[in-house]
């Protein structure tokens, strides 16, 4: 720690009072994390002048899983649970983006019903992911009720995903050519009931959290990112839209059934922490609108491409029609060999644009796999937003970005 000399005005004031004062250190460095309630699995090296942050160095990689390198040693189906791991709270999107890239190489058409089911699972996961993010933001601000509400409400949507996919977190629901399970009436009823509950809860969220003066003081005009900076710094997802940029992969480059669904993209121009939280809150409402449309309008038909469906043995096929229409994977999936080629896919995950780049050399394993996650894009944004902010605002900026360390580290 070093001392900062008094300026002339301060010296004159002290001389007039006849008092002496002891110099206190006002410049220095702080390590926040990597195991810290306000940093998660990341070390934040903060350079301070008083309580003003002059600069931060972000030390990431503590939960690096080497997913991209490991992908070169596993066949395409074994990779599904692996690519989901970096963001287990948003695993449907991690799964979906990867499969879309593989399908482009395979040249597979996906039945319309399966496309609707992909959007259904993705939107349930988006709601769960946003509630997780809002809960974490709340506890960063010391708002314990918001934390418990976020995680409590999220549980409802995780249960729906579990009923649909058979798994609680790494759902592995999307497969090349379709999805593994069909939508049952029980799941439809669960979802409609959850929507009624969540709509009431969103109003409660506004009253107890977003209209709370203490919360607003910690978020409003804090960590402001202009529209120009949001584009220049590479922000994506709700963080980008909170700065006034109308960009959502579901609208710009529709996939699954999004070109047949009616929904809006919430956009705020303030670009502060409050706007980033409100965008997520409003996106939950839009996701529920999408779910209602899917439940009402989902077309009849198969949930797996005929190309693969025909390969299911008759005994397994009989079981499929007699039970809950759950796909028992045919042997083709064990080690299929896509033709040589490469493909890029993009999906709008809970935290923003998720990009996959897959290269096939004709073997059962990818030659290369590259994933660019939304949290990875948030690292530079976080560093820039911290400069010039007060130290007390470090955690509120961090929480408002909904940064998830394993997703960035991959």
């Amino acid at each position: 720690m070093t001392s900062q000399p008094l300026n002339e005005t301060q010296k004159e004031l002290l001389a007039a009072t006849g008092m002496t004062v002891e110099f206190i250190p006002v410049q220095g460095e702080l390590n926040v994390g990597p195991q810290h309630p306000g940093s998660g699995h990341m070390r934040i090296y903060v350079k301070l002048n008083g309580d003003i942050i002059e600069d931060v160095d972000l030390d990431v990689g503590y939960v690096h899983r080497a997913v991209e390198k490991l992908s070169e040693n596993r066949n395409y189906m074994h990779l599904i649970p692996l690519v989901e791991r970096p963001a287990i709270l948003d695993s449907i999107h991690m799964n979906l983006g990867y499969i879309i890239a593989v399908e482009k190489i395979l040249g597979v058409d996906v039945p319309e019903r399966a496309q609707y089911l992909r959007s259904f699972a993705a939107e349930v996961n988006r709601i769960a992911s946003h509630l997780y993010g809002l809960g974490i933001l709340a506890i960063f601000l010391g708002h314990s009720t918001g934390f418990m509400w976020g995680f409590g409400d999220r549980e409802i949507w995780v249960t729906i995903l579990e009923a649909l996919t058979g798994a609680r977190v790494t759902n592995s629901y999307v497969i090349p050519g379709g999805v593994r399970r069909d939508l049952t009436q029980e799941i439809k009823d669960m979802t409609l009931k959850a929507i009624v509950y969540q709509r009431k809860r969103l109003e409660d969220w506004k009253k107890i959290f977003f209209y709370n003066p203490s919360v607003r003081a910690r978020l409003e005009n804090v960590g402001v990112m202009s529209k120009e900076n949001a584009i220049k710094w590479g922000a994506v997802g709700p963080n980008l839209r909170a700065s006034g940029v109308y960009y959502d992969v579901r609208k710009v480059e529709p996939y699954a059934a999004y070109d047949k669904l009616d929904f809006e993209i919430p956009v705020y121009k303030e670009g502060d922490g409050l706007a980033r939280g409100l965008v997520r809150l409003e996106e939950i409402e839009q996701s529920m609108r999408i779910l209602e449309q899917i439940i009402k309008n989902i077309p009849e038909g198969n949930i797996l491409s005929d190309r693969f469906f025909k390969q299911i043995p008759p005994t397994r096929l009989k079981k499929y029609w007699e039970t809950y229409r759950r796909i028992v994977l045919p042997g083709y999936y064990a080690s299929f060999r896509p033709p040589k080629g490469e493909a890029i896919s993009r999906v709008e995950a809970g935290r923003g644009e998720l990009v996959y780049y897959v290269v096939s050399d004709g073997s059962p394993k990818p030659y290369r796999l590259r994933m660019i996650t939304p949290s990875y894009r948030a690292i530079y944004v976080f560093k820039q937003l911290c400069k010039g902010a007060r130290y007390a605002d470090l955690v509120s900026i961090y929480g408002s970005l909904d940064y998830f360390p394993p997703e960035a580290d991959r």
Side-chain angles (χ1 to χ4, degrees):
M1 305 288 270
T2 58
S3 300
Q4 181 173 300
L6 297 178
N7 59 36
E8 291 304 318
T9 305
Q10 290 171 323
K11 288 177 181 175
E12 290 174 9
L13 286 172
L14 281 173
T17 60
M19 296 173 61
T20 58
V21 84
E22 183 182 355
F23 282 88
I24 58 173
V26 292
Q27 286 183 316
E29 298 88 26
L30 278 177
N31 273 301
V32 182
Q35 304 300 327
H36 184 276
S39 72
H41 304 289
M42 176 165 68
R43 187 175 75 106
I44 309 171
Y45 182 65
V46 189
K47 297 176 183 173
L48 289 166
N49 186 347
D51 71 334
I52 302 298
I53 299 172
E54 287 190 330
D55 198 6
V56 296
D57 283 328
L58 304 178
D59 185 12
V60 301
Y62 286 88
V63 277
H64 178 50
R65 295 175 183 278
V67 171
E68 290 158 321
K69 188 62 183 173
L70 287 171
S71 300
E72 298 168 15
N73 295 308
R74 284 165 171 74
N75 71 33
Y76 287 90
M77 289 301 285
H78 290 165
L79 267 178
I80 292 176
L82 190 64
V83 297
E84 290 176 333
R85 293 298 298 174
I88 54 174
L89 41 74
D90 195 21
S91 65
I92 291 290
H93 285 107
M94 307 298 285
N95 177 192
L96 179 57
Y98 165 66
I99 292 298
I100 289 176
V102 174
E103 284 172 345
K104 284 183 179 179
I105 299 174
L106 284 170
V108 178
D109 290 327
V110 180
E112 195 173 11
R113 185 176 179 84
Q115 297 285 26
Y116 272 77
L117 289 172
R118 288 180 174 187
S119 290
F120 181 89
E123 294 311 311
V124 171
N125 212 167
R126 189 183 314 281
I127 295 171
S129 177
H130 281 352
L131 288 169
Y132 178 96
L134 290 175
I136 291 294
L137 170 61
I139 198 62
F140 274 13
L141 302 179
H143 196 285
S144 300
T145 303
F147 170 68
M148 289 185 282
W149 280 18
F151 278 67
D153 290 356
R154 173 178 174 266
E155 189 67 24
I156 296 168
W157 300 98
V158 170
T159 304
I160 293 172
L161 264 187
E162 186 179 4
L164 177 67
T165 67
R168 182 171 166 78
V169 280
T170 47
N171 308 102
S172 303
Y173 179 61
V174 185
I175 56 177
V179 294
R180 287 194 299 109
R181 295 186 178 199
D182 207 343
L183 192 64
T184 64
Q185 187 58 46
E186 182 187 7
I187 297 171
K188 290 180 184 177
D189 295 340
M190 287 172 66
T191 307
L192 292 173
K193 190 176 176 182
I195 290 172
V196 172
Y197 166 81
Q198 196 64 63
R199 285 217 165 101
K200 291 178 183 173
R201 198 64 152 179
L202 291 185
E203 294 304 313
D204 293 338
W205 265 100
K206 291 175 186 173
K207 291 174 188 171
I208 199 171
F209 189 73
F210 287 103
Y211 295 162
N212 184 318
S214 299
V215 171
R216 293 187 81 98
R218 299 293 306 278
L219 293 176
E220 211 162 15
N221 298 318
V222 173
V224 176
M225 179 166 55
S226 68
K227 183 177 181 178
E228 293 72 23
N229 281 339
I231 296 170
K232 185 169 70 176
W233 296 344
V236 293
N239 298 332
L240 179 67
R241 295 188 282 274
S243 294
V245 181
Y246 186 90
Y247 181 88
D248 189 305
V249 180
R250 294 174 295 174
K251 290 286 188 185
V252 175
E253 194 175 294
Y255 55 92
Y258 289 113
D259 57 341
K260 303 175 184 67
L261 299 165
D262 178 33
F263 61 100
E264 297 171 6
I265 304 300
V267 174
Y268 278 71
K269 62 181 180 181
E270 288 80 2
D272 57 8
L274 186 67
R276 290 190 279 274
L278 287 170
V279 163
R280 290 185 175 86
L281 193 77
E282 293 185 18
E283 285 188 358
I284 291 174
E285 168 58 31
Q286 295 303 318
S287 293
M288 292 192 293
R289 279 186 60 199
I290 292 173
L291 294 177
E292 287 175 325
Q293 292 172 57
I294 293 174
I295 289 173
K296 185 179 179 182
N297 302 322
I298 186 169
E300 291 298 327
N302 211 341
I303 62 171
L304 187 64
S305 168
D306 285 345
R307 172 174 162 182
F308 305 130
F309 196 73
K310 290 175 181 174
Q311 299 181 31
I312 299 176
T315 51
R316 291 183 180 180
L317 207 54
K318 184 172 180 288
K319 189 177 178 183
Y320 169 81
W321 290 114
E322 290 176 349
T323 56
Y324 293 106
R325 300 180 72 179
R326 295 171 182 171
I327 297 291
V328 180
L329 299 178
Y332 169 83
Y333 285 108
S335 58
F336 62 85
R337 297 169 180 265
K340 288 183 181 179
E342 59 184 32
I344 292 179
S345 70
R346 298 194 298 168
V347 297
E348 186 68 30
R351 289 169 183 73
E353 184 182 71
L354 168 66
V355 179
Y356 277 96
Y357 174 55
V358 180
V359 180
S360 166
D361 59 358
S363 71
K365 304 167 186 173
Y367 177 72
R368 288 284 186 273
L369 182 144
R370 170 77 170 146
M371 55 201 298
I372 304 172
T373 60
S375 286
Y376 178 77
R377 307 280 288 272
I379 293 174
Y380 185 71
V381 172
F382 182 39
K383 178 180 171 66
Q384 296 301 318
L385 286 180
C386 285
K387 292 179 182 176
R390 291 190 180 279
Y391 179 69
D393 293 331
L394 181 79
V395 289
S396 60
I397 294 172
Y398 185 102
S400 71
L401 291 173
D402 196 15
Y403 174 77
F404 191 64
E407 188 186 76
D409 294 353
R410 308 184 302 285

